[in-house]
Amino acid sequence: MSIALGCDHGGYGLKLEVIKYLEAQGIAYKDFGSNSLDSCDYPEYGRAAAEAVASGECETGIVICTTGIGISITANKVKGIRCALCSDTVSARLTKEHNDANMLALGAGIVGTNLALGIVDTFLHTEFSGEEKHCRRITKIAAIEDELLN
């Protein structure tokens, strides 16, 4: 498994904690920045991580900003991305089981480190259910994307 990481200055500290977690688990990652606490714009880092997932360069992605909102909106502009902003482990589990989300967004100013790492762990270790109703819904999402994002 390879994880695309992206954050802005507001998510930088939490990204470092996620990196420690990934390294301890032996999970490969590619860091698309930001690499400091200097003020920057989340769209460039969210886009880079999302494009890596959409292209298949990375299997999944984790993006982080202060609330997780802006960077998740950005990631979801990339065709093929289903990025879910999660603030609890139940949402992280269900978005994988039901939506086959391929990216996770976190709000560093919303969730603490321990909860965030629990969310990451849940997201990375939950599989898509493959249930017909969920497949049908994901197919409908992809059809909307094909129609509107071309």
Side-chain angles (χ1 to χ4, degrees):
M1 178 184 307
S2 177
I3 312 298
L5 298 175
C7 72
D8 68 357
H9 57 283
Y12 179 68
L14 183 55
K15 182 184 75 171
L16 295 178
E17 295 299 322
V18 170
I19 287 171
K20 287 180 198 173
Y21 164 84
L22 295 174
E23 289 176 345
Q25 298 294 313
I27 299 172
Y29 64 90
K30 185 165 183 182
D31 187 352
F32 291 90
S34 164
N35 295 309
S36 78
L37 294 171
D38 295 337
S39 182
C40 61
D41 299 326
Y42 57 79
E44 64 187 90
Y45 306 107
R47 178 182 181 171
E51 287 179 340
V53 174
S55 72
E57 178 183 351
C58 294
E59 184 178 332
T60 191
I62 301 170
V63 290
I64 310 166
C65 67
T66 301
T67 64
I69 297 168
I71 205 160
S72 66
I73 291 170
T74 300
N76 280 313
K77 297 296 182 189
V78 175
K79 188 174 180 177
I81 294 302
R82 290 178 307 281
C83 181
L85 171 58
C86 296
S87 298
D88 61 85
T89 57
V90 173
S91 296
R93 178 177 56 81
L94 292 175
T95 199
K96 286 293 289 278
E97 288 178 354
H98 296 184
N99 309 120
D100 198 20
N102 52 11
M103 292 190 75
L104 170 67
L106 295 168
I110 307 301
V111 297
T113 301
N114 289 338
L115 178 55
L117 295 179
I119 293 166
V120 167
D121 186 71
T122 300
F123 184 83
L124 295 180
H125 292 97
T126 301
E127 297 293 326
F128 176 53
S129 71
E131 287 183 54
E132 187 278 328
K133 65 183 178 182
H134 299 308
C135 292
R136 182 179 69 244
R137 293 166 186 161
I138 292 167
T139 298
K140 288 181 177 187
I141 292 169
I144 293 168
E145 218 174 37
D146 287 342
E147 178 185 343
L148 299 177
L149 294 181
N150 283 329

